[in-house]
Amino acid sequence: MANAHTPFPKGRVAAWIVTLAIAAYWAWSVARNENFGWHVVAQYFFDPVVISGLYVSLGLTVVAMVLGIVFGLLLAIARMSKDTLASTLASLFIWFFRGTPLLVQLIFWYNLSTLFPTLSIGIPFGPTFVSWDTNSVISPMTAAIAGLALNEAAYMAEIIRGGLLSVDRGQFETAEAFGMTRIRALRRIIIPQAMRSIVPPTGNQLISMIKATSLVSVIAMADLLYSVQSIYNRTFEVVPMLLVAVIWYLLITSVLNIGQSYIERYYSRADRRTSGTKVAADGTPALVPAQEAGQ
């Protein structure tokens, strides 16, 4: 009707007022609470020890994620392979590293010398070509990278496999009909289309990784958490120093969230193309080039 109008949302407005009032009171209480030690937070926020630990955490995140994505892609392809040996080995790897806590894996890597005092390369049950003392190879840095990267590879393998499975099977079949090898079809046709399903959970894994680096503090790796712990062990300012770490983690994850949203929008542009499935003249799904899949 011409005179009809939307009723005033009294309940929604009341809910907003109550929520904002509670949030304002909570923020005021936190800001005024001297036990948080905000002056200590400001004093140590850019402390060289904290910044050095921050660089270590960021470096571990980048290296572990790159290695995890590369190994995860190989594991996903092996898991989907028709080769029984490759599929079984990939499944066992994923089962083990997803089924055990990351903290336990890091501790095992750090104490690898108690199991294998030396690491060697040679022929099984035959001569040894070269060997190293395990303690000289497995430092806190290498233990942290190995633990984080291998654990991440197991999760990324399942994320990538899920993304590859989301692509219509007809794309594989059409690529084979055009004479493409399986590797080329994956690189040119399948992976670009699967990115829409791979990018969002990968972004979540990246955010989880920056927080997971805090676990390396248990193996004496000087990351962000370890750095603030070393300061509050001297100053006994436990809460303020933990707040320094919390604020840095929140800043980093906020930046990563923004970057993830931009990447998701870039790959979601292909949804306009996939809103209607392309079909060839004979009724089979049509091959979609990688250039079109990314548009």
Side-chain angles (χ1 to χ4, degrees):
M1 297 177 62
N3 296 327
H5 65 278
T6 303
F8 185 76
K10 297 179 181 179
R12 184 178 302 176
V13 172
W16 270 101
I17 293 174
V18 172
T19 302
L20 291 176
I22 294 174
Y25 177 77
W26 180 84
W28 181 83
S29 300
V30 170
R32 301 270 300 184
N33 192 334
E34 295 181 358
N35 294 326
F36 282 92
W38 293 112
H39 65 286
V40 179
V41 174
Q43 177 184 351
Y44 285 98
F45 193 72
F46 293 104
D47 188 86
V49 176
V50 174
I51 298 302
S52 175
L54 177 64
Y55 287 153
V56 171
S57 293
L58 292 175
L60 283 175
T61 300
V62 172
V63 173
M65 280 303 300
V66 170
L67 294 176
I69 291 173
V70 172
F71 293 154
L73 176 61
L74 297 177
L75 286 168
I77 294 174
R79 179 96 188 269
M80 298 174 65
S81 173
K82 297 179 181 178
D83 186 287
T84 304
L85 178 61
S87 178
T88 301
L89 291 177
S91 298
L92 288 174
F93 181 98
I94 295 169
W95 165 77
F96 178 81
F97 283 97
R98 291 180 68 197
T100 54
L102 175 57
L103 181 59
V104 175
Q105 296 174 29
L106 289 170
I107 296 174
F108 262 107
W109 278 107
Y110 186 64
N111 294 279
L112 189 64
S113 60
T114 61
L115 301 175
F116 304 100
T118 59
L119 299 175
S120 59
I121 297 177
I123 300 175
F125 306 105
T128 299
F129 301 138
V130 62
S131 62
W132 303 271
D133 179 64
T134 303
N135 283 325
S136 65
V137 176
I138 304 298
S139 64
M141 175 65 77
T142 54
I145 292 175
L148 293 172
L150 294 179
N151 182 267
E152 186 63 28
Y155 285 93
M156 285 305 305
E158 290 300 277
I159 291 173
I160 295 173
R161 187 174 71 92
L164 295 177
L165 291 175
S166 68
V167 180
D168 190 272
R169 180 64 188 173
Q171 298 292 320
F172 280 102
E173 297 172 353
T174 310
E176 292 176 356
F178 275 87
M180 287 188 178
T181 63
R182 185 174 181 83
I183 298 299
R184 188 178 182 187
L186 283 169
R187 182 172 57 88
R188 298 289 301 276
I189 305 298
I190 307 303
I191 292 179
Q193 297 182 66
M195 290 299 289
R196 296 193 308 276
S197 300
I198 294 174
V199 168
T202 301
N204 294 334
Q205 286 298 114
L206 179 59
I207 292 172
S208 297
M209 176 61 72
I210 191 66
K211 295 180 292 183
T213 56
S214 62
L215 296 176
V216 303
S217 61
V218 301
I219 59 174
M221 187 70 192
D223 71 311
L224 177 58
L225 180 60
Y226 185 89
S227 298
V228 299
Q229 286 175 331
S230 67
I231 294 176
Y232 73 59
N233 285 335
R234 292 186 287 103
T235 64
F236 302 103
E237 299 283 359
V238 178
V239 172
M241 294 312 303
L242 289 177
L243 283 174
V244 170
V246 167
I247 295 172
W248 272 119
Y249 283 125
L250 286 174
L251 288 174
I252 296 169
T253 54
S254 298
V255 172
L256 293 176
N257 276 321
I258 295 172
Q260 178 183 351
S261 64
Y262 277 110
I263 296 174
E264 287 181 9
R265 282 201 294 269
Y266 173 80
Y267 282 105
S268 66
R269 293 185 302 173
D271 290 340
R272 295 193 302 268
R273 176 188 57 77
T274 57
S275 58
T277 305
K278 291 189 175 182
V279 179
D282 58 356
T284 60
L287 184 65
V288 179
Q291 292 83 354
E292 186 179 352
Q295 293 178 351

